[in-house]
Amino acid sequence: MDFARYYEQHLTRLIRHLMRQGAGAHEAAEAAQGAFTEAFPQWNDIAYPAAWLRKVAFRLYLRNPISREELTSAPPEQPASGACPLRMVELREEEARVYSALASLPPAQRRVLAWSLDGFTASEISAELGMTAEAVRQNLSRARARLKDQLGLANGGGQ
């Protein structure tokens, strides 16, 4: 797939992936954009772009979190589609509650759950994150159980 099309189709997903791991919307957008910037010159050599971008974006998020004071009031440049990626990830009240619950998970659980929610299998997550498949499954199980408790879903109820 060509770079421009992939960028338009996957930027929002990558931002949400980072937000599931605790990044704010602006930090996630900055790291996602940085990952795509790094990918562009080597795009044809990247065999599995979804995984590559997630690893690079997460590394960038950890290495260079931006502070709120550095943000300007000017809107970011609009992509070719005309839709601002940050507008596409604005959270509704229920989503905000879920992201808050995700943020309370231990980092390993949050990270494997974010990959799982993006459609990666336990074996793919294992390979990409350098964990055993058993550790991935265990972290997923614990993360799901904690989220159910925190969101009031453990006994089949909701709020």
Side-chain angles (χ1 to χ4, degrees):
M1 176 177 287
D2 90 312
F3 181 84
R5 185 174 316 139
Y6 193 92
Y7 175 86
E8 281 200 29
Q9 291 177 357
H10 294 271
L11 178 62
T12 302
R13 293 178 194 167
L14 185 56
I15 292 170
R16 283 198 179 270
H17 175 81
L18 293 169
M19 290 173 68
R20 289 183 192 121
Q21 295 190 66
H26 287 93
E27 292 93 355
E30 182 76 19
Q33 184 65 42
F36 273 102
T37 300
E38 284 190 28
F40 182 70
Q42 53 188 325
W43 186 248
N44 294 327
D45 298 327
I46 299 173
Y48 197 31
W52 190 95
L53 286 163
R54 278 160 180 76
K55 288 194 306 189
V56 171
F58 185 70
R59 185 190 77 228
L60 291 172
Y61 162 65
L62 291 177
R63 188 176 1 148
N64 295 318
I66 59 174
S67 69
R68 298 276 177 215
E69 292 77 38
E70 293 176 22
L71 298 176
T72 66
S73 60
E77 289 184 33
Q78 297 288 323
S81 68
C84 174
L86 286 178
R87 298 273 182 261
M88 299 166 95
V89 297
E90 287 178 350
L91 303 179
R92 294 184 303 262
E93 186 177 333
E94 186 66 22
E95 288 176 310
R97 198 168 135 250
V98 171
Y99 278 85
S100 178
L102 285 169
S104 72
L105 295 175
Q109 291 177 15
R110 193 170 52 232
R111 194 160 187 213
V112 297
L113 186 59
W115 281 76
S116 177
L117 290 170
D118 284 347
F120 289 86
T121 66
S123 61
E124 290 170 329
I125 297 168
S126 169
E128 295 300 330
L129 300 183
M131 304 171 76
T132 66
E134 180 57 33
V136 169
R137 285 189 290 277
Q138 187 175 52
N139 277 299
L140 281 172
S141 176
R142 289 178 179 167
R144 289 176 180 139
R146 285 181 77 157
L147 285 176
K148 283 181 183 180
D149 286 342
Q150 289 180 1
L151 296 173
L153 303 173
N155 296 319
Q159 291 181 342

